[in-house]
Amino acid sequence: MTEKQQIIIRTALKLFYRQGIHAVGINEIIQQSGVAKKTLYSYFSGKEALILAALNYRDEIFMGWLSQTMASTNPGQPALLAMFHGLDDWFNNRATALGNFRGCFFINASGEYTDPQTPVHQACKAHKANVHALVLQHTKLVCENQAAALQLADTLCLLKEGAITTAMVQEDPGAAHRLIPLVKTLIQPALCTSAPHIADT
Amino acid sequence: MTEKQQIIIRTALKLFYRQGIHAVGINEIIQQSGVAKKTLYSYFSGKEALILAALNYRDEIFMGWLSQTMASTNPGQPALLAMFHGLDDWFNNRATALGNFRGCFFINASGEYTDPQTPVHQACKAHKANVHALVLQHTKLVCENQAAALQLADTLCLLKEGAITTAMVQEDPGAAHRLIPLVKTLIQPALCTSAPHIADT
DNA sequence: TGCATGGTAGACAAGTCTGTCTACCTCTGT
DNA sequence: ACAGAGGTAGACAGACTTGTCTACCATGCA
């Protein structure tokens, strides 16, 4: 991975995230990168390869930020809560690693590539699986059995997606903060038994 | 609203929803509509006007479907629960009025027009406000005060967004169904007091 | 000194995009 | 019978798209 390659990927991600993937052309990317077109095409076979590289880079950034955010406190319950405080930081542009909030790059990309068969959609799905796996590590510490841990991870991830989407579409940066009382309730160890959610009727 | 106009809007919506907005050209729309290009431009000043018309049409369809779904049972608690059963139908392609599930058209569109100032993004935001207003009508019947009703509507709408996003990106059509126990708990009248969520600590 | 490497700048091909325009056709109402 | 409305088909302009290719330049190494 050369320095030029890094610059191109970083620039592409910035533009794709800000303007949408289809709305950004190769010419704009090379211009903003200060790189010749031939250089770009020597590193990437085409636009799709660059998109996939940008998705991969964003995955690294996001997973790094999230795992660091969750590692800043104790594993389990506090880490899960820290995730939602982290989302609140992100929505209010206090998470510098993630840049200015414009929704989730992977959700946005999926919306442009709705066919699940496309490599882009698959990459987005893979990123969400990475996040889920990280969350699951912590729910396992809170729940008394595997099934309950999985279910809690599902719910928390779904809340996360809902908060991101609400914050973006509705221009509502308080979406994550308002969830914190509910999250606190959900992750109370006593409630994470085999019963699905608090009470299952 | 002439018949031709209707055909153009319906075709545009179908293509935009399936392939993304930027990925669909005017030529494809007129070809699929069986309409001359001049006819399209006699009704719509440009592509953006057509996009806004498609968003407006989708809003009508979705709000019609949702209000009908919620009206098929008793107002309040049962209607709110019916919304999530409706989402489950949608994700599993049993809601014919909404077409084959490809996520939420408005979330997808917002991802392509991330700048909140754009008319497209504003239209998406307005749609979400419409849904929220409908949900609020029912949470008011369940909660004992205005603030609690608003808070419950916020939470349920956020769960809805999370379910749609999860179902789409993760190819997980069970996202809404798994939420039902949690929703049942949240909408229990006794819990919808001034306390934010179940227990607020 | 000479040459390979990796870069720049940008012309170019071939196709697509939006939007305008001409020429024609086919109803409907008077 | 005839005018006007509303439509079709499609050429066209001008800009933009991705991707290839030529010509050139600078640096490091033998």
Side-chain angles (χ1 to χ4, degrees):
Chain A
M1 176 74 70
T2 69
E3 193 192 350
K4 294 278 173 188
Q5 213 172 344
Q6 275 282 355
I7 290 172
I8 294 168
I9 294 175
R10 255 197 283 270
T11 307
L13 172 59
K14 187 184 74 185
L15 294 173
F16 288 153
Y17 184 44
R18 234 139 274 248
Q19 297 172 227
I21 293 175
H22 279 106
V24 175
I26 293 289
N27 291 324
E28 194 176 353
I29 294 169
I30 60 167
Q31 200 172 1
Q32 294 265 335
S33 304
V35 144
K37 195 180 270 196
K38 204 179 182 185
T39 306
L40 187 149
Y41 278 101
S42 75
Y43 286 121
F44 305 98
S45 62
K47 191 182 179 183
E48 181 168 297
L50 180 54
I51 296 167
L52 292 172
L55 285 164
N56 189 59
Y57 179 56
R58 180 67 175 183
D59 177 61
E60 284 175 20
I61 290 176
F62 190 89
M63 292 308 295
W65 169 81
L66 182 60
S67 50
Q68 204 168 334
T69 298
M70 296 178 82
S72 69
T73 180
N74 291 328
Q77 214 174 335
L80 293 167
L81 208 56
M83 178 170 81
F84 286 86
H85 281 112
L87 290 176
D88 187 49
D89 287 339
W90 183 24
F91 300 167
N92 292 279
N93 296 324
R94 294 188 303 264
T96 50
L98 300 180
N100 241 310
F101 180 71
R102 289 269 182 163
C104 170
F105 184 46
F106 302 92
I107 297 173
N108 297 354
S110 290
E112 291 199 62
Y113 295 81
T114 59
D115 182 354
Q117 303 243 333
T118 59
V120 172
H121 196 117
Q122 288 295 319
C124 297
K125 186 178 170 181
H127 164 75
K128 295 299 181 185
N130 288 342
V131 174
H132 188 277
L134 179 57
V135 171
L136 185 61
Q137 282 178 25
H138 291 272
T139 60
K140 275 180 179 169
L141 302 176
V142 178
C143 299
E144 61 180 26
N145 66 57
Q146 194 88 357
L150 199 67
Q151 204 155 30
L152 180 60
D154 284 351
T155 303
L156 293 177
C157 284
L158 188 144
L159 285 172
K160 193 205 78 176
E161 306 301 345
I164 295 171
T165 303
T166 302
M168 203 258 292
V169 181
Q170 308 253 56
E171 296 181 82
D172 172 11
H177 194 260
R178 284 198 307 277
L179 274 182
I180 286 176
L182 175 58
V183 171
K184 277 185 182 168
T185 307
L186 289 169
I187 63 180
Q188 272 169 23
L191 298 169
C192 301
T193 63
S194 55
H197 289 286
I198 305 166
D200 187 21
T201 322
Chain B
M1 176 77 67
T2 71
E3 193 192 351
K4 294 279 174 188
Q5 212 172 346
Q6 274 283 354
I7 290 172
I8 294 168
I9 293 174
R10 255 197 284 269
T11 306
L13 172 59
K14 188 184 76 185
L15 294 173
F16 286 154
Y17 185 44
R18 235 139 275 248
Q19 299 173 225
I21 293 174
H22 279 105
V24 175
I26 293 290
N27 290 324
E28 193 175 354
I29 294 169
I30 60 168
Q31 198 172 2
Q32 293 265 336
S33 303
V35 143
K37 193 179 272 196
K38 203 179 181 184
T39 306
L40 187 148
Y41 278 101
S42 75
Y43 286 121
F44 305 98
S45 61
K47 191 183 179 182
E48 183 168 295
L50 180 54
I51 296 167
L52 292 172
L55 285 164
N56 190 59
Y57 179 55
R58 180 66 176 183
D59 177 60
E60 284 174 20
I61 290 176
F62 191 89
M63 291 309 294
W65 168 82
L66 182 59
S67 50
Q68 203 167 336
T69 298
M70 295 179 82
S72 69
T73 181
N74 291 328
Q77 214 173 338
L80 293 167
L81 208 55
M83 177 170 81
F84 286 86
H85 281 112
L87 290 176
D88 186 49
D89 287 341
W90 183 26
F91 300 167
N92 292 280
N93 297 323
R94 294 188 304 264
T96 50
L98 300 181
N100 240 312
F101 180 71
R102 289 267 183 165
C104 170
F105 184 45
F106 302 92
I107 297 173
N108 298 353
S110 290
E112 291 199 63
Y113 296 81
T114 58
D115 182 355
Q117 304 241 334
T118 59
V120 172
H121 196 115
Q122 288 295 318
C124 297
K125 186 178 170 181
H127 164 75
K128 295 299 181 186
N130 289 341
V131 174
H132 188 277
L134 178 57
V135 171
L136 185 61
Q137 282 178 24
H138 292 273
T139 60
K140 276 181 179 168
L141 302 176
V142 179
C143 299
E144 60 180 26
N145 66 58
Q146 193 87 357
L150 199 66
Q151 203 154 32
L152 181 59
D154 284 352
T155 303
L156 293 177
C157 284
L158 188 144
L159 285 173
K160 193 206 78 176
E161 306 301 345
I164 294 171
T165 302
T166 302
M168 204 258 292
V169 181
Q170 308 253 54
E171 297 181 82
D172 172 9
H177 193 259
R178 284 199 308 277
L179 275 183
I180 286 176
L182 175 58
V183 171
K184 278 185 180 167
T185 306
L186 289 170
I187 63 180
Q188 273 169 23
L191 298 169
C192 300
T193 63
S194 55
H197 291 285
I198 305 166
D200 185 21
T201 321

